[in-house]
Amino acid sequence: MENLQNIRIAVDAIVFGYKNNNLYVLLIEQKFGSADKYWALPGGLVKNDESLSDAVIRELHEETNVQLTFMEQLYTFGDDIYRDSRNRVISVAYYALVDASNLEIKADTDAEKVQWFKIDEIPALAFDHNLILKSAIARLKSKLTYEPIGFDLLPEEFLFSDLENLYCTILEKEIDRRNFRKKILSYGFLDQTEHFSPIKSGRPAKLFKFNDLKYNELIKKGFHFEIKFA
Amino acid sequence: MENLQNIRIAVDAIVFGYKNNNLYVLLIEQKFGSADKYWALPGGLVKNDESLSDAVIRELHEETNVQLTFMEQLYTFGDDIYRDSRNRVISVAYYALVDASNLEIKADTDAEKVQWFKIDEIPALAFDHNLILKSAIARLKSKLTYEPIGFDLLPEEFLFSDLENLYCTILEKEIDRRNFRKKILSYGFLDQTEHFSPIKSGRPAKLFKFNDLKYNELIKKGFHFEIKFA
DNA sequence: TGTAGTTTGCGTTAATTATACGCAAATATA
DNA sequence: TATATTTGCGTATAATTAACGCAAACTACA
């Protein structure tokens, strides 16, 4: 009756990037057989002596060269026993963000292909990765409204209009530019730099910076970040 | 170089109950050696052919006789490689709620002891279970403010004052009774029953019921539950 | 040099929501 | 019948959100 446990444990990463009014996800091409190619989330089996988060970092490092600005555990997928047809595998999924200015660097390590995909142009993925991705997008959307993680998707210094557009496109909502700016600025965790960005047209815009110290000060005082839309 | 994965996967459950202005957690007594006894969260290893949530349900059924009203995955604890000193074990933690009217029924299955503990009288637990519990309490508190799970801790029919007290005690905040009532009632998902509760003193109070159908209707219309306090 | 087009940055006002209370109704108990 | 207690409904004020107006600062082009 007593049977040895024969379940593998893997980690998968959903890495989000943002550029030019588009949310991107990092996918790698997985080769099973000779003709059997599938895009999949980066990930792999956890080693015996490494922590879960270390495993994610290692896998990402092995397969890509992205520099994360944020990472958090998403969910553990283990209710579908046959999510991997070969073995019982439970996957602990992490989602992560990368700075938009680092988004162009694509690493094609060896034969493995790595590519950024627009969120609305995702192909059929391996395993239950479409499901996992869907869940990550939902979490990203939700988290964006109650924690200042949007800044992790932008370069160190950014335009207010970039932040606006980021919120608009990811949350798929209209927002009033002026009220949005007023609200964010009222929090007081943004520093205005002396730099201006190369302009395309219109009035030159100041660049802003997210100030972690100020943010943490506010948190200690009981501050609670929140962005709501109608 | 290629080593076989030797990691066990377990589930643990944090079961919350509420009664008489107190939040309770269900613990079981774990026996390691002869004298080595520890209270611990109910849980155990996942079987090869069962889903994670089934494993939680099974373990709870084996060790206790609680009837859950709510269950959700909390977090997967696997960053501390030595959280179990005997083997590498990764634990997927679930938290769950039980109806207050079922809280008295304690099952002492065989030699194993099961007991409800007040949240502020928790002993030193086995493994990293104190940490897990802490994380579950944080989640419960947070979830209570943006989803109507408080009702899952109360009997089918409850007094408004019970609901008030539940929020006050779990969130450790003062609230204005009248504003709280106004707000909750304004949502329109509570049904007033014709029953009255046995009174101790004061004006007799009507019993209320949470109406899932009405709540789901609201959700479909874009409603968003929220309870905030100053 | 001037005009049109564009984007930024700062305001103002109305609508909604939250907060802070007041107080009578309905009961048990003394 | 008076007192203590808890419920249930209301109202005034403060705070926040939503909806808009508009000038400033630039580019591009005639």
Side-chain angles (χ1 to χ4, degrees):
Chain A
M1 186 63 209
E2 203 58 77
N3 221 337
L4 209 63
Q5 199 183 46
N6 183 30
I7 306 176
R8 267 147 252 236
I9 176 116
V11 288
D12 285 303
I14 303 95
V15 182
F16 290 112
Y18 175 82
K19 194 136 203 169
N20 296 126
N21 290 12
N22 272 111
L23 184 64
Y24 291 86
V25 178
L26 198 67
L27 297 177
I28 60 161
E29 194 165 60
Q30 196 120 20
K31 295 167 290 292
F32 294 106
S34 49
D36 220 21
K37 287 180 187 173
Y38 268 103
W39 289 98
L41 296 168
L45 294 184
V46 177
K47 295 196 188 296
N48 291 327
D49 60 350
E50 79 185 340
S51 74
L52 291 176
S53 44
D54 283 349
V56 183
I57 303 288
R58 176 184 50 76
E59 292 283 355
L60 276 175
H61 194 77
E62 281 172 16
E63 296 165 346
T64 76
N65 68 341
V66 288
Q67 278 263 296
L68 304 183
T69 50
F70 171 90
M71 187 174 92
E72 187 179 75
Q73 191 182 300
L74 171 66
Y75 193 79
T76 298
F77 294 82
D79 273 345
D80 179 2
I81 304 178
Y82 308 106
R83 50 180 297 282
D84 186 322
S85 53
R86 303 162 297 183
N87 290 103
R88 173 92 196 262
V89 182
I90 285 171
S91 168
V92 186
Y94 283 73
Y95 71 110
L97 305 178
V98 307
D99 176 339
S101 52
N102 283 103
L103 206 127
E104 293 302 340
I105 314 158
K106 303 170 191 173
D108 285 25
T109 27
D110 309 318
E112 283 212 327
K113 279 209 271 178
V114 184
Q115 216 176 101
W116 287 104
F117 282 77
K118 278 190 190 170
I119 213 65
D120 48 5
E121 296 174 3
I122 304 290
L125 304 179
F127 316 113
D128 55 353
H129 285 188
N130 283 292
L131 184 76
I132 296 181
L133 175 56
K134 200 177 157 191
S135 151
I137 294 169
R139 176 78 140 264
L140 175 65
K141 282 185 178 183
S142 138
K143 194 102 179 173
L144 221 42
T145 68
Y146 65 88
E147 263 172 60
I149 58 166
F151 305 101
D152 291 310
L153 284 167
L154 292 174
E156 177 86 10
E157 301 195 349
F158 56 86
L159 293 174
F160 229 103
S161 46
D162 290 337
L163 189 66
E164 277 162 43
N165 290 329
L166 185 148
Y167 270 87
C168 285
T169 58
I170 299 183
L171 297 180
E172 302 173 284
K173 294 246 171 112
E174 294 285 308
I175 35 170
D176 184 278
R177 192 174 53 78
R178 295 153 294 184
N179 289 336
F180 178 79
R181 181 190 181 101
K182 216 184 312 178
K183 175 125 198 192
I184 300 271
L185 283 179
S186 78
Y187 291 152
F189 53 60
L190 286 193
D191 288 338
Q192 199 176 105
T193 71
E194 291 309 309
H195 311 143
F196 288 81
S197 81
I199 349 119
K200 326 140 229 256
S201 82
R203 177 171 171 175
K206 290 165 194 157
L207 287 165
F208 289 84
K209 251 175 135 167
F210 179 76
N211 187 323
D212 293 88
L213 265 71
K214 284 185 184 169
Y215 177 71
N216 290 327
E217 274 303 313
L218 287 168
I219 290 296
K220 266 194 278 183
K221 287 179 198 157
F223 168 75
H224 179 73
F225 178 84
E226 189 173 30
I227 293 293
K228 279 206 264 189
F229 304 105
Chain B
M1 185 65 210
E2 203 60 77
N3 221 338
L4 208 64
Q5 199 183 46
N6 183 29
I7 307 177
R8 266 148 254 235
I9 176 117
V11 288
D12 284 304
I14 303 95
V15 182
F16 290 113
Y18 175 82
K19 194 135 203 170
N20 295 129
N21 291 11
N22 272 112
L23 184 63
Y24 290 86
V25 178
L26 197 68
L27 297 177
I28 60 162
E29 194 165 60
Q30 196 121 20
K31 296 166 290 292
F32 295 106
S34 49
D36 219 20
K37 287 179 186 174
Y38 268 103
W39 288 98
L41 296 169
L45 293 183
V46 177
K47 293 197 188 296
N48 291 328
D49 60 350
E50 79 185 340
S51 74
L52 291 176
S53 43
D54 284 348
V56 183
I57 303 289
R58 177 184 50 77
E59 292 284 354
L60 277 176
H61 194 77
E62 282 172 16
E63 295 165 347
T64 76
N65 68 341
V66 288
Q67 277 263 296
L68 304 183
T69 51
F70 171 90
M71 186 175 93
E72 188 179 75
Q73 192 181 299
L74 171 66
Y75 194 79
T76 296
F77 294 83
D79 273 345
D80 179 2
I81 305 179
Y82 307 106
R83 51 180 295 282
D84 187 324
S85 52
R86 303 162 298 184
N87 290 103
R88 172 91 195 263
V89 182
I90 285 170
S91 167
V92 186
Y94 283 73
Y95 71 110
L97 305 178
V98 307
D99 176 339
S101 51
N102 284 104
L103 206 127
E104 292 303 339
I105 315 157
K106 302 169 191 173
D108 285 24
T109 28
D110 310 319
E112 284 212 327
K113 278 210 270 176
V114 185
Q115 216 175 104
W116 288 104
F117 282 77
K118 278 191 191 172
I119 213 63
D120 48 5
E121 297 173 2
I122 304 290
L125 303 179
F127 317 114
D128 55 354
H129 286 190
N130 283 294
L131 184 76
I132 297 181
L133 175 57
K134 201 177 157 191
S135 151
I137 294 169
R139 176 79 139 263
L140 175 66
K141 282 185 178 184
S142 140
K143 193 101 179 175
L144 220 43
T145 68
Y146 65 87
E147 263 172 59
I149 58 166
F151 305 100
D152 291 310
L153 283 167
L154 292 174
E156 178 86 9
E157 301 195 349
F158 55 87
L159 294 174
F160 229 102
S161 47
D162 290 337
L163 189 66
E164 278 163 43
N165 290 328
L166 185 148
Y167 270 87
C168 286
T169 58
I170 298 183
L171 296 181
E172 301 173 285
K173 294 247 171 110
E174 294 286 308
I175 36 171
D176 184 277
R177 193 173 52 77
R178 294 153 295 186
N179 289 337
F180 179 80
R181 182 191 180 101
K182 214 185 313 180
K183 174 122 198 192
I184 300 271
L185 283 179
S186 78
Y187 291 152
F189 53 60
L190 286 193
D191 288 339
Q192 198 176 105
T193 71
E194 291 310 308
H195 311 144
F196 288 81
S197 81
I199 348 120
K200 327 137 228 259
S201 82
R203 176 171 171 174
K206 290 164 195 157
L207 288 165
F208 289 85
K209 252 175 133 168
F210 180 76
N211 187 323
D212 293 271
L213 265 72
K214 284 185 184 170
Y215 176 72
N216 289 328
E217 274 303 313
L218 288 168
I219 289 296
K220 266 195 279 183
K221 286 179 196 158
F223 168 74
H224 180 73
F225 178 83
E226 190 173 29
I227 292 293
K228 278 204 262 190
F229 305 105

